[in-house]
Amino acid sequence: MPRILITGAAGFLGSHLCDRFIREGYEVVGMDNLITGDLRNLEHLFPLKQFTFYNKDVSNFVHVSGPLDYILHFASPASPIDYLKIPIQTLKVGSLGTHNCLGLAKAKNARILVASTSEVYGDPAVHPQTEEYWGNVNPVGPRGVYDEAKRFQEAMTMAYHTYHGLQTRIIRIFNTYGPRMRLNDGRVLPAFIGQALRGEDLTVFGKGNQTRSFCYVDDLVEGIYRLLHSDYPYPVNIGNPDEITILQFAEEIIKLTGTKQKIIFKDLPKDDPTQRRPDITKARSILGWEPKVSRAEGLKITYAAFKALPTEVLHKQEHRDFLGYARK
Ligand code: UDP
């Protein structure tokens, strides 16, 4: 039975990855310090003997006993509001945390896949974004702590590949959504659905003409699975190229939820990327991958999952006071 370490296991993506690798017959070691993760995402796995969990901060020295065949480094805050609340931890987990994971992979002779991001392209001057584009990132802006840590992560990962001959994989993840996103983490989909469920108006930042391209979590997990098992060491974009403006997205959520609330406009946060869409030519040709779940289907499943959450979760204040966080 292959053995895999997944950091950020209690988070949105991490927990879906744990599920997938358990299903594929792996022994899964989950690790998380629970700053932004939630053990409820893993509750169903604890009874399984193929699953173990370490409550640990990967930014400090990590030790895992026994062999490891694979490591997935997915620990990181992932919402612009988190970057403002916990900027130093965000920088550390992308840089020091990555270094620790690479060191562990080397010690165990394991293959490692690191979670990078479309944020390495910053506010992109090239559209859609290809892996060859070097990006347009403000290192000292509100997103700099995430973007620069992830750029460092890619450089460090390539260095371990070229210098130590480590088997490394780099995925650049574009906006992804699905069940288990933190309802109040400030990102646009949980923000809009949360607002609709609480009977609040939907807050569109700026004029809402900025674009994003949303990928359903199961599609992303399939892309990760394929990339891990490929032999391609360079960055690969995984995302859904179906691009939409944020205003159109708000309208879709209003239709989906049937809310009577309206759209209100708030100031656009600093350095908010104006457009984002992955070029997935590489994923198509190297991995034979493309997204299968339409936004209509994915949103239906996600809405049903959010609707089933307990009322106290729905009304938890965390982060909601931060709306319009970078207004000044
Ligand atoms: N956004 C919005 N209203 C919200 C939250 C986000 O209009 O309540 C916008 C945000 O300004 C950005 C887009 O939605 O243009 C996606 O934001 P998110 O935080 O989900 O992730 P990003 O792609 O910006 O990292």
Side-chain angles (χ1 to χ4, degrees), residues 78-80 83 119 143 175 186-189 191-192 195 203-206 210-212 214 246 268-269 272-273 276 323 325:
S79 153
Y83 315 152
E119 284 285 323
R143 292 170 183 251
N175 293 67
R187 279 186 288 177
V188 66
L189 178 133
F192 286 172
Q195 287 161 344
T203 52
V204 166
F205 296 165
Q210 69 273 35
T211 68
R212 294 294 185 272
F214 296 96
I246 294 301
L268 189 68
D272 201 289
R276 187 183 283 158
L323 284 180
Y325 50 95

Side-chain angles (χ1 to χ4, degrees), residues 3 105 142 146 162 168 229:
R3 192 160 186 255
Y146 183 68
T162 50
T168 57
H229 295 103

